[in-house]
Amino acid sequence: MDSIAILDFGSQYSQLIARRVREASVYCELFPHDAPSEQVLGLNPKGIILSGGPASVYEPDAPQVPQYVLRSALPMLGICYGMQALTHALGGTVAPSPKREYGPAEIRVLVPNPLLPLGSQPVWMSHGDRIEAAPSGFTPLARSAHSPIAAMGDLSRRWYGLQFHPEVQHT
């Protein structure tokens, strides 16, 4: 049976992410962001989702992406804080946004990719930090008025990040 592991970084939408995965007829389990590798990888997931959360990657004791996740080579999707934590772990630049994005926004997809259709689309944002430089190997896929990198992907590794929340109805 195919399964997805979701690491919860404290998002108000973590349960909704799990629900959306299950609505796609895929088994998933929600784990705390610091769950041990044996527990998460014991699920034998086909991919990992890193949820959003209220922290900033630069706060003391901010939750980080576990090293075993980065070493796993599994496809990965970071959502909001999950994207920021992935960027921080891989050497990209996360910084406070001059203007916090909360609520409806519009992204413009920049390049053809397997994740997002070309053109503009409405999304739901909820963040105070933004990605200013993608990690090595990542291509910026979309931008918004206040996020120069609203989506990014390392297509060869199948690692993606979304600054917006694809799990909510508004996206």
Short mmCIF file of all heavy atoms in Angstrom, two decimals, residues 2 9-10 15 19 31 41 55 108-109 120-121 139 142:
data_model
loop_
_atom_site.label_atom_id
_atom_site.label_comp_id
_atom_site.label_asym_id
_atom_site.label_seq_id
_atom_site.Cartn_x
_atom_site.Cartn_y
_atom_site.Cartn_z
N ASP A 2 0.58 2.20 -0.88
CA ASP A 2 1.31 3.46 -0.91
C ASP A 2 0.95 4.29 0.31
O ASP A 2 -0.19 4.28 0.77
CB ASP A 2 0.95 4.25 -2.17
CG ASP A 2 1.56 3.64 -3.42
OD1 ASP A 2 2.44 2.78 -3.30
OD2 ASP A 2 1.15 4.04 -4.52
N PHE A 9 4.94 20.49 11.82
CA PHE A 9 5.73 21.57 12.41
C PHE A 9 4.85 22.55 13.18
O PHE A 9 5.26 23.66 13.46
CB PHE A 9 6.52 22.30 11.32
CG PHE A 9 7.68 21.50 10.80
CD1 PHE A 9 7.54 20.68 9.70
CD2 PHE A 9 8.92 21.57 11.42
CE1 PHE A 9 8.61 19.94 9.22
CE2 PHE A 9 9.99 20.83 10.95
CZ PHE A 9 9.83 20.01 9.84
N GLY A 10 3.63 22.14 13.50
CA GLY A 10 2.73 22.97 14.30
C GLY A 10 1.68 23.72 13.51
O GLY A 10 1.06 24.65 14.03
N GLN A 15 -3.92 18.63 10.16
CA GLN A 15 -4.97 17.61 10.02
C GLN A 15 -5.64 17.72 8.66
O GLN A 15 -6.04 16.71 8.07
CB GLN A 15 -6.01 17.75 11.15
CG GLN A 15 -5.49 17.39 12.51
CD GLN A 15 -5.18 15.92 12.67
OE1 GLN A 15 -5.71 15.06 11.96
NE2 GLN A 15 -4.31 15.59 13.60
N ARG A 19 -6.09 14.95 5.75
CA ARG A 19 -7.42 14.67 5.16
C ARG A 19 -7.35 14.73 3.63
O ARG A 19 -7.92 13.87 2.96
CB ARG A 19 -8.43 15.68 5.68
CG ARG A 19 -9.81 15.52 5.07
CD ARG A 19 -10.76 16.52 5.66
NE ARG A 19 -12.00 16.50 4.92
CZ ARG A 19 -12.96 17.36 5.10
NH1 ARG A 19 -12.85 18.31 6.01
NH2 ARG A 19 -14.06 17.30 4.39
N PHE A 31 3.05 12.74 11.89
CA PHE A 31 4.06 12.54 12.93
C PHE A 31 4.52 13.90 13.44
O PHE A 31 4.57 14.87 12.67
CB PHE A 31 5.28 11.81 12.37
CG PHE A 31 5.01 10.44 11.85
CD1 PHE A 31 4.78 10.24 10.49
CD2 PHE A 31 4.99 9.34 12.70
CE1 PHE A 31 4.54 8.97 9.99
CE2 PHE A 31 4.75 8.06 12.21
CZ PHE A 31 4.53 7.88 10.86
N LEU A 41 10.15 6.33 8.92
CA LEU A 41 10.56 5.50 7.79
C LEU A 41 10.01 4.09 7.90
O LEU A 41 9.92 3.37 6.89
CB LEU A 41 12.07 5.51 7.64
CG LEU A 41 12.68 6.90 7.37
CD1 LEU A 41 14.20 6.81 7.26
CD2 LEU A 41 12.07 7.55 6.15
N ALA A 55 6.53 29.03 13.54
CA ALA A 55 7.90 29.46 13.90
C ALA A 55 8.59 30.17 12.74
O ALA A 55 8.12 30.16 11.60
CB ALA A 55 8.72 28.25 14.33
N ARG A 108 2.04 33.67 -9.74
CA ARG A 108 2.27 33.53 -11.18
C ARG A 108 3.32 32.44 -11.34
O ARG A 108 4.43 32.55 -10.81
CB ARG A 108 2.76 34.83 -11.79
CG ARG A 108 3.24 34.64 -13.22
CD ARG A 108 3.24 35.86 -14.09
NE ARG A 108 1.97 36.49 -14.31
CZ ARG A 108 1.00 36.04 -15.12
NH1 ARG A 108 1.16 34.90 -15.75
NH2 ARG A 108 -0.11 36.73 -15.29
N VAL A 109 2.94 31.40 -12.05
CA VAL A 109 3.87 30.29 -12.30
C VAL A 109 4.85 30.74 -13.38
O VAL A 109 4.45 31.25 -14.44
CB VAL A 109 3.11 29.01 -12.69
CG1 VAL A 109 4.07 27.89 -13.01
CG2 VAL A 109 2.17 28.60 -11.55
N SER A 120 -1.54 32.44 -13.85
CA SER A 120 -1.82 32.96 -12.51
C SER A 120 -2.89 32.13 -11.86
O SER A 120 -3.80 31.62 -12.54
CB SER A 120 -2.29 34.41 -12.59
OG SER A 120 -1.26 35.22 -13.07
N GLN A 121 -2.81 32.01 -10.54
CA GLN A 121 -3.84 31.30 -9.81
C GLN A 121 -3.97 31.82 -8.40
O GLN A 121 -3.00 32.27 -7.80
CB GLN A 121 -3.60 29.79 -9.82
CG GLN A 121 -2.22 29.33 -9.51
CD GLN A 121 -2.06 27.85 -9.81
OE1 GLN A 121 -2.69 27.03 -9.20
NE2 GLN A 121 -1.20 27.54 -10.75
N THR A 139 14.83 25.28 -8.57
CA THR A 139 14.39 26.29 -9.53
C THR A 139 13.18 27.00 -8.96
O THR A 139 12.24 26.33 -8.51
CB THR A 139 14.00 25.61 -10.86
OG1 THR A 139 15.13 24.92 -11.38
CG2 THR A 139 13.50 26.62 -11.87
N ALA A 142 7.31 29.71 -8.98
CA ALA A 142 6.25 30.71 -8.95
C ALA A 142 6.65 31.84 -8.02
O ALA A 142 7.51 31.67 -7.15
CB ALA A 142 4.95 30.08 -8.48
#
